[in-house]
Amino acid sequence: MEIKIGKVEKRLNEIIEEEGAVYLTLLDPEEENIEEIAEKVKDYADAIMVGGSIGVVNLDEAVKQIKKITKLPIILFPGNVDGLSKYADAVFYMSLMNSSNTYWAITAPTLGAITILKYNLEPIPMAYLCIEPAKKTAVGYVGEIREIPQNKPKIAAMYCLSAKFFGMRWAYLEAGSGAPYPVNNETISLSKKLSGINIIVGGGIRKPEIAYEKVLAGADAIVTGNLLEENPNAVEMMYEAIKKAGKEKLKNR
């Protein structure tokens, strides 16, 4: 079977080339007001990620609810092998590379592979890297991570380079859902410079100006999740800040 870049990933790459950055919103399928949040983000997000670290309740139904509201691509962000739905468009096929448990690095994605094939989901190969303070969040606990310190940006960058050599086209630098602060600019910049793959940054991004500086530092995509659950109206300001930074980044190439 020939591995090709699918239409969702191709579209994300086109947005990065044309606009400088992608805005991804992460929706938790267990969120009670998921329809309200989807309604708010549909005119601003470039794609919607669906998933969580703890588990899911009726994922198929949640994806179908979102599909009724928006035609945006839905990319699954599975917390485990049960985080897959045939109603989605794509899945971040990811390895939690800095987990101390090989289950999260290798076994979980391997067990999910046949279901992804069966559901005809588009796999987007991605390294998932948990950066300080992720250890204090749900993903740190569930994923049994060896947290990468903020003051050691070379470690994150080397993981991203390793991901590239493994054939992954994306790396997600994650500070954790609800993190008190985001991944620092030096880590983002060095990771992008050394690897050259698409860098996603998420966790602790609550203000538009923070998203703006992360894009200028080298982020190709910004993810917000908890923020939208707390204030769905924030999506417009985030979108504007990300796209503004994206345009500036393109001018400075």
Side-chain angles (χ1 to χ4, degrees):
M1 182 179 70
E2 185 179 356
I3 301 296
K4 296 181 179 179
I5 294 179
K7 63 180 182 179
V8 174
E9 185 177 2
K10 183 179 179 182
R11 179 55 186 151
L12 295 180
N13 284 331
E14 288 172 350
I15 294 171
I16 292 169
E17 284 297 313
E18 295 167 6
E19 302 176 14
V22 165
Y23 182 28
L24 304 173
T25 55
L26 174 59
L27 274 59
D28 189 330
E30 293 185 277
E31 185 63 34
E32 292 181 3
N33 63 334
I34 193 169
E35 290 183 348
E36 178 190 346
I37 297 173
E39 187 69 40
K40 293 286 186 181
V41 306
K42 69 178 184 179
D43 295 324
Y44 301 103
D46 293 305
I48 294 176
M49 294 166 58
V50 178
S53 300
I54 304 301
V56 296
V57 175
N58 204 343
L59 178 61
D60 284 346
E61 188 59 33
V63 173
K64 286 193 286 185
Q65 285 178 315
I66 298 168
K67 282 273 190 180
K68 288 179 183 177
I69 294 169
T70 177
K71 294 182 179 180
L72 289 173
I74 295 180
I75 306 172
L76 297 172
F77 183 57
N80 210 330
V81 292
D82 59 352
L84 298 171
S85 169
K86 61 185 176 182
Y87 298 103
D89 301 296
V91 55
F92 277 127
Y93 188 69
M94 57 189 183
S95 168
L96 180 48
M97 292 182 73
N98 63 318
S99 174
S100 60
N101 187 337
T102 55
Y103 176 82
W104 300 111
I106 298 295
T107 308
T110 299
L111 292 174
I114 195 68
T115 302
I116 291 170
L117 185 66
K118 178 182 176 182
Y119 287 172
N120 197 31
L121 293 168
E122 175 187 332
I124 301 175
M126 183 181 80
Y128 190 39
L129 302 170
C130 288
I131 316 294
E132 177 193 344
K135 195 170 184 178
K136 297 178 181 178
T137 69
V139 67
Y141 178 80
V142 175
E144 302 170 70
I145 65 167
R146 295 180 64 200
E147 183 180 74
I148 300 172
Q150 290 260 5
N151 65 350
K152 299 292 182 181
K154 289 182 181 178
I155 296 177
M158 286 190 292
Y159 268 112
C160 290
L161 182 61
S162 174
K164 178 181 182 176
F165 290 166
F166 272 120
M168 300 174 190
R169 298 184 289 270
W170 299 74
Y172 188 155
L173 305 181
E174 171 75 278
S177 180
Y181 51 89
V183 177
N184 64 33
N185 295 344
E186 187 179 2
T187 297
I188 297 167
S189 179
L190 192 58
S191 295
K192 179 64 179 179
K193 188 179 297 183
L194 187 62
S195 71
I197 62 177
N198 290 326
I199 301 295
I200 304 172
V201 179
I205 301 175
R206 295 182 178 80
K207 297 180 180 180
E209 55 265 33
I210 299 299
Y212 174 86
E213 71 173 50
K214 300 308 170 188
V215 172
L216 290 183
D220 297 291
I222 296 293
V223 177
T224 58
N226 274 21
L227 170 72
L228 303 178
E229 296 167 13
E230 298 164 5
N231 179 17
N233 293 314
V235 65
E236 182 177 358
M237 292 184 291
M238 278 290 179
Y239 173 85
E240 291 174 352
I242 291 164
K243 297 304 177 177
K244 180 182 178 182
K247 289 179 181 178
E248 291 184 22
K249 186 168 66 172
L250 290 176
K251 285 181 182 178
N252 295 328
R253 274 185 177 178

